[in-house]
Amino acid sequence: IKIWLLDTSHAEISIDYCWVLYALQKVRECPVLLSRIDASRLKEAINNCLQWLSKNRNTEEAKSIEQLCEEDGIKGCGWGDNDAEISNSIRTALAVYVINREIEFTKRAVNNQLTVLDSEGLDLFREISQDATKWLLSIQNSDGGWGNIDKKSHRISKKALLFGIVTEALIYL
């Protein structure tokens, strides 16, 4: 934890930042692990992940997966591997999940020393999560699932993961 997890410079793409943020959130929830690290470094690492996700998201809404794949310049309203790539459903769903976990922690932990988001940050990340959730809903296939970047990749594991995350994210809309 001290060597790798708190040093977010090892993360390079959105999925790295999502999983690092998730692991840091789990450390924060575990009193034994939390007692062995510097809380200020934990907060800094969580903030680094959130800021990266905020700066590297796409904000161009596509009406469909086909538009995302066929039209130049349309990246979607979620996350690809970085800000130069089009959004894909898995990375967007993971980002929404960890952002919503942070929002919930902030709401539950009023005046907590481990809270990263202030009221302005809370509003920003609520908006980011809502926009990405709406985008995920807008690109859902007619069979109820999602492709990743195209409609050809239908896997039950992907459908289950996305359905769970989007269903949970609807609470925040």
Side-chain angles (χ1 to χ4, degrees):
I1 293 171
K2 290 179 184 177
I3 295 170
W4 186 84
L5 203 52
L6 292 176
D7 178 5
T8 58
S9 67
H10 301 292
E12 295 182 6
I13 59 176
S14 63
I15 201 164
D16 295 344
Y17 280 94
C18 289
W19 286 121
V20 168
L21 178 54
Y22 179 74
L24 291 166
Q25 291 168 337
K26 295 302 269 183
V27 167
R28 183 175 56 194
E29 295 168 2
C30 178
V32 174
L33 293 175
L34 188 56
S35 69
R36 297 180 180 170
I37 61 171
D38 178 6
S40 65
R41 287 192 64 206
L42 177 66
K43 283 179 64 171
E44 180 183 351
I46 290 171
N47 187 55
N48 289 344
C49 291
L50 288 168
Q51 294 311 310
W52 191 94
L53 289 170
S54 174
K55 290 176 186 170
N56 289 278
R57 72 185 180 105
N58 295 317
T59 57
E60 302 171 84
E61 190 169 341
K63 302 294 184 218
S64 67
I65 289 285
E66 289 89 357
Q67 183 183 18
L68 197 63
C69 294
E70 294 171 5
E71 293 185 25
D72 290 336
I74 304 273
K75 294 182 185 177
C77 196
W79 287 264
D81 281 336
N82 55 52
D83 66 346
E85 294 190 4
I86 64 173
S87 301
N88 74 57
S89 56
I90 290 293
R91 279 153 180 70
T92 300
L94 287 172
V96 166
Y97 180 71
V98 295
I99 287 169
N100 284 341
R101 282 181 52 83
E102 198 60 34
I103 290 168
E104 275 305 301
F105 179 82
T106 302
K107 285 173 28 181
R108 286 192 323 262
V110 178
N111 296 324
N112 189 314
Q113 293 180 10
L114 296 174
T115 301
V116 174
L117 298 175
D118 59 14
S119 63
E120 187 176 307
L122 193 58
D123 290 343
L124 170 68
F125 282 97
R126 275 188 187 126
E127 183 179 332
I128 289 170
S129 174
Q130 289 171 356
D131 289 349
T133 301
K134 288 175 186 174
W135 179 74
L136 284 170
L137 289 170
S138 77
I139 63 162
Q140 188 174 19
N141 292 322
S142 60
D143 68 358
W146 287 263
N148 195 27
I149 298 178
D150 59 38
K151 287 193 172 204
K152 297 173 190 163
S153 56
H154 289 264
R155 291 193 184 110
I156 189 66
S157 60
K158 189 181 298 177
K159 183 176 180 179
L161 171 68
L162 281 153
F163 183 77
I165 290 172
V166 170
T167 301
E168 186 176 295
L170 290 173
I171 296 167
Y172 302 98
L173 290 179

